[in-house]
Amino acid sequence: MEKVVLVTGANSGIGLALCERLLTEDSQLLLCLACRNMKRAEDARSALLTSHINAHIDLLHLDVGSVQSVLAAAQELKARYNRIDFLYLNAGIMPNPQVDVKALFKGLFSRNVINMFATAEGLLTQQDRLNSDGLQEVFATNLFGHFLLIRELEPLLCPGGQTSRIVWTSSSNARRSAFSIEDIQHRNGMEPYSSSKYASDMLSLALNRHKNSQGLFSSVICPGLVMTNLTYGILPSFFWTLIMPIMWLIRIFTNTFTLTPYNGAEALHWLFVQNSESLDPRAKYHSLTSGLGKNYTQPQQMDIDEQMSEILYSKLLELEKVVRKKQSEGNVDK
Ligand SMILES: NC(=O)C1=CN([C@@H]2O[C@H](COP(=O)(O)OP(=O)(O)OC[C@H]3O[C@@H](n4cnc5c(N)ncnc54)[C@H](OP(=O)(O)O)[C@@H]3O)[C@@H](O)[C@H]2O)C=CC1
Ligand SMILES: CC(C)CCC[C@@H](C)[C@H]1CC[C@H]2C3=C(CC[C@]12C)[C@@]1(C)CCC(=O)C[C@@H]1CC3
């Protein structure tokens, strides 16, 4: 039986590279590209079909940052498929990023330099805003939209005793200190990206606790530092061109500079070929590239408080009720 795989944010960067790698791994795959921009989705589909002529590739309109779009996309998926084997939750944003140049130069001459390059700790802030659902945009896109999608797709995930898998594209930038359980949307702070990624790590753990017995398994990965639209948005393009040789040089000394989307998708691909029984719910699976360019995946234990992950899960369920109520009231008003 062919596997049904859905990838969010599949039209560029790591998501697109993952699709390419999955089709190379399994040509029988039924791959669904879930994207917010259908023109870009079409282009991605055409690009994939040039190297995989007979591939079965579906498109789905999905804006994970919009409650209404997530609900409509889930309805469409339930009409199209009777199960989903792999749900790759990869779409993500980092709006209005700011690099603290002073901290960068200070870090360059400190003993923390390797960690700084691997995690961007203390270097990056973002400016977030409210979306049309009244939610913080980064939280809504990187976490809550995906949570709602999982909730909606429960009937397609592990039906009839089969197992299904969820894989989150998290980040080394996920940091406990950026997250507050009192402010899960990160309304008051300058690190919404870091907060949303830490929340996805916690949610994955909570999902495993609640859903493993039903055959649903969740994992998180970190792709390393990859040159994509997201990273190109952090610094002006001339700066990237200028420092690119330095980036390739740094790569010799740190295995976290995976740099290409193909390399960054290593852990996502690796998880596709693993058995669910071998997975560690507390591990984050890192895509790494050696100085000689060899790709490999390494699990690292996450710094997560079980109790806090449980509270986050309850808060997300509460918020789900609120947005569903708002949505149904909105539909009645129309
Ligand atoms: N690049 C890196 O170094 C790292 C990236 N990551 C994570 O990897 C993931 C992929 O990012 P990356 O490939 O780097 O960057 P890209 O910007 O290339 O890819 C992001 C993808 O997400 C899609 N997307 C964004 N917002 C939405 C939305 N509201 N609804 C649906 N799709 C959306 C984008 O679509 P569109 O083209 O329409 O914008 C795009 O396809 C993200 O979750 C990111 O946080 C994690 C660690 C490091
Ligand atoms: C060569 C240097 C003089 C300049 C590069 C410094 C920074 C721009 C980068 C150092 C660590 C990077 C990093 C990310 C973005 C670019 C850096 C801050 C990410 C935050 C990108 C998105 C992620 O999810 C994690 C990355 C961690 C490392």
Side-chain angles (χ1 to χ4, degrees), residues 100-111:
D100 184 338
V101 180
K102 226 168 115 186
L104 173 65
F105 279 104
K106 221 172 132 193
L108 277 177
F109 302 102
S110 77
R111 265 191 283 169

Side-chain angles (χ1 to χ4, degrees), residues 136-265:
Q136 293 295 131
E137 194 181 19
V138 176
F139 165 82
T141 308
N142 296 1
L143 185 82
F144 187 68
H146 284 132
F147 172 73
L148 197 58
L149 185 66
I150 298 170
R151 295 278 299 153
E152 278 289 303
L153 293 182
E154 272 182 14
L156 299 192
L157 296 168
C158 52
Q162 297 171 17
T163 57
S164 289
R165 305 265 297 276
I166 293 173
V167 185
W168 298 81
T169 307
S170 180
S171 165
S172 58
N173 192 243
R175 251 190 17 265
R176 191 183 188 138
S177 60
F179 178 84
S180 161
I181 195 68
E182 263 69 59
D183 179 20
I184 62 169
Q185 296 195 39
H186 204 84
R187 289 189 194 277
N188 310 303
M190 297 293 284
E191 295 176 281
Y193 181 82
S194 185
S195 168
S196 70
K197 293 295 179 182
Y198 186 70
S200 71
D201 296 353
M202 284 199 289
L203 176 55
S204 178
L205 190 66
L207 282 169
N208 280 319
R209 205 175 312 113
H210 288 266
K211 303 289 175 192
N212 279 178
S213 57
Q214 293 162 39
L216 182 58
F217 294 83
S218 175
S219 315
V220 286
I221 75 104
C222 168
L225 174 63
V226 187
M227 299 316 299
T228 62
N229 294 340
L230 185 143
T231 23
Y232 279 117
I234 295 174
L235 292 168
S237 49
F238 78 89
F239 193 82
W240 279 123
T241 316
L242 217 65
I243 66 168
M244 234 3 163
I246 307 176
M247 302 285 283
W248 283 93
L249 199 68
I250 297 174
R251 178 187 159 139
I252 299 172
F253 304 102
T254 165
N255 50 10
T256 60
F257 271 42
T258 47
L259 296 187
T260 69
Y262 180 93
N263 295 347

